[in-house]
Amino acid sequence: NSNYDITFVNGTYTITKRPIVVTIEDKTSVYGDSIVSLTAKVTSGSIVNGDTAYSLSTTATKTSNVGNYKIEGTVADNNYNATFVSGIYKINEKTISVEWDMTQDIPKAANLEGIDITYEYYNLAGELLTEFPSDAGEYKCVIVCANKNYALTNTECVFEIIDSEVQ
């Protein structure tokens, strides 16, 4: 139409990063076990086109000491502006029930190979002895484990030293 003089001016179409909030789920495992899969949920916003918008990591490993470790997220796709709500990875103690070997002269744990333990000996009055007893009588043996990665159960046994002299 000749009544109009139209001039086109180029414009700018801006695509901004898609905002999301990612809440990382807490996880647990037992000392010595493999680390379980880390998971999170998008609690605000959404991920589109099947994108992998974030990745998760922790410093916890199967050999990490008992305790809490942070689970953190990082943006894996530059099209997203992610805010992360951190999670905790908790390593719990490994519980071991002591199996006593009473076939020798001195009672000992049969299933604690490689775990740093000490044995304490008590008379039945509850007094700690400075060495393995040699007199005839009943005694208590207690296993002490300084390694906080283990929770030992069945750590006490009662044993008897019999006088070997024939009467």
Side-chain angles (χ1 to χ4, degrees):
N1 187 336
S2 61
N3 293 333
Y4 297 98
D5 185 16
I6 299 175
T7 304
F8 291 96
V9 178
N10 289 334
T12 303
Y13 185 79
T14 303
I15 299 175
T16 59
K17 293 181 179 189
R18 188 174 194 86
I20 58 172
V21 175
V22 179
T23 301
I24 301 170
E25 298 171 338
D26 293 342
K27 297 293 180 176
T28 61
S29 63
V30 173
Y31 175 76
D33 289 352
S34 296
I35 298 300
V36 300
S37 295
L38 304 178
T39 57
K41 291 185 174 149
V42 176
T43 53
S44 178
S46 63
I47 296 173
V48 295
N49 301 325
D51 291 342
T52 302
Y54 61 88
S55 63
L56 304 174
S57 64
T58 182
T59 58
T61 67
K62 68 187 277 179
T63 60
S64 293
N65 288 323
V66 166
N68 293 333
Y69 299 84
K70 198 174 201 178
I71 304 172
E72 298 183 298
T74 54
V75 175
D77 185 323
N78 201 30
N79 291 313
Y80 292 88
N81 181 13
T83 301
F84 294 95
V85 178
S86 294
I88 298 295
Y89 197 102
K90 183 175 183 182
I91 305 285
N92 293 315
E93 297 170 317
K94 182 178 187 106
T95 301
I96 300 174
S97 180
V98 176
E99 296 172 10
W100 287 95
D101 178 356
M102 303 298 279
T103 61
Q104 307 297 317
D105 292 337
I106 299 174
K108 68 176 213 165
N111 64 327
L112 299 180
E113 286 294 318
I115 299 174
D116 188 21
I117 58 172
T118 57
Y119 295 91
E120 294 179 349
Y121 303 99
Y122 295 84
N123 61 26
L124 290 185
E127 299 167 321
L128 177 63
L129 307 175
T130 58
E131 58 188 32
F132 187 79
S134 58
D135 294 337
E138 284 191 331
Y139 298 92
K140 179 170 67 171
C141 179
V142 177
I143 291 178
V144 178
C145 180
N147 188 331
K148 300 303 179 199
N149 293 320
Y150 298 97
L152 302 182
T153 61
N154 191 34
T155 58
E156 298 181 5
C157 78
V158 175
F159 65 99
E160 183 175 10
I161 296 177
I162 299 171
D163 192 350
S164 60
E165 291 183 20
V166 177
Q167 300 283 340

